[in-house]
Every structure is written in structure tokens, then in C-alpha cells.
Amino acid sequence: PFNAPGLTHLSLSVDDLDGTVARIATAGGTVARHLPGAAVVHDPDGQAIELLPMSYHHRVTATGPVAVI
């Protein structure tokens, strides 16, 4: 789960969320969830990767990161 202690996943912002998700299988990965505005995929080794739209990056950059404890 994403809220477990330690490194659970990587999170990346991408320019084209839907286009990136569409290319996951051709890169050897799998799509676990694809929701409006976010996706969770796994690379060929099973590492979870959260994909977010670049608008999320711009919002965090403007307001500063939020730590969840």
C-alpha cells in the first residue's frame, strides 16, 4: 500500500497522462489503475509508479510540497 512505511512507489508528472499510460504495455509494464488525473502502473520489475499530470507538478511548485505524516 502507498501508506506503508518506507519507499512504496515513485511519483512522476508527465505532459500527456493518457498517452503515457497507453504506452506502458509496449514498454513491458502494466497498468494497475487509470483514473481521471492519475494512474498507477508497474514497471517490468513490479515497481509501482504513480503518474500525475504536469499540472500537478506546477501546482506543487507554486504552493510547496505537502508532507503527509
Side-chain angles (χ1 to χ4, degrees):
F2 278 18
N3 61 351
L7 178 64
T8 60
H9 69 287
L10 302 174
S11 183
L12 303 171
S13 293
V14 296
D15 288 321
D16 179 7
L17 180 62
D18 293 332
T20 302
V21 170
R23 292 190 305 273
I24 294 299
T26 60
T30 58
V31 178
R33 283 186 304 230
H34 186 195
L35 307 167
V40 177
V41 301
H42 292 98
D43 71 10
D45 294 324
Q47 174 64 53
I49 303 168
E50 178 183 28
L51 299 175
L52 300 166
M54 193 56 73
S55 60
Y56 177 81
H57 169 74
H58 295 307
R59 184 170 32 125
V60 170
T61 302
T63 61
V66 176
V68 178
I69 299 175

